Amino acid sequence: MAVARSGRRGEQIAAFAGCTLRIPAPAKLNLFLHVTGRRPDGYHLLHTLFRFIEYGDELSLTLRPDGQVSRGEGPREVAPEQDLSVRAARLLQAETGCKLGVDLRIVKRIPMGGGLGGGSSDAASVLVGLNRLWGLGLSRPALMVLGAKLGADVPVFVFGRSAFAQGVGDELSAIRIAPAWYVVLTPSIHVATTAVFAEPKLTRNSNPLRIPAFFAGQGRNDLEAVVRERHVEVDRCLRWLAEQGPATMSGSGACVFRAVDSEAQARAILARLPENMAGFVARGLDQHPLYHWLNHGLGAGSEK
């Protein structure tokens, strides 16, 4: 992959050491998730529908001219060296030869291990933000390729649109989704994605689901049954939310959600939440907040 090199423009930017970008990293929901098969290398084949929501982490990227990448604030449960955001910055340096550095600060709101894509979203926002802060000029497709090296969900956040995904989640097509608000419940547990996909009871032969079938109400999350059996907290939250109407789990859990037509409906449901449960209300987004920081090409697929 050909990438831009940091040259005179990067040297000029270095003069602005201390310049800070403050950017969002939104959560995502999987409106459905079908496991349709398994490749010989062990990766699972999926059909899923991604939607961003107006809720997420906040990142600060402060330019430094010495090439160092540091994380001054972030999730206590994750060491800086293992943080996807730090890894994203260093990968971008390595691929472009950029000599600039960054101080990262991450205000975490997205629950870890909740199926809302928090770490992947942070990494994608770092890639997009540093592409601007370091003056690299990489395209959306180029950043998506880099994102795939960090994790399966990172490219969709760079892609920046509601997306129907196939393959191992890497074949993305933009799609329009009707406006909606979501009630999201956040069980206080961390679900290990690898353990869920390794579960022998997991259904791996769902029929491929096309978008019209989803809008006709045929979508579901194939991982849900496994997670509910393993984690009583997820089962309890889903049972309660399902009393209010159709509800499902996002990704590999633990968070569960229900779509409604208005903010008032969502807040009315949240107001009835039992004291031993937690959650939030969020509006669905058609685009990532940083979508227009890159070229307007979708980068993959076409809009349905």
Side-chain angles (χ1 to χ4, degrees), residues 108-129:
K108 287 296 295 182
R109 294 192 179 95
I110 303 174
M112 297 181 62
L116 302 184
S120 296
S121 183
D122 293 347
S125 286
V126 166
L127 290 176
V128 175

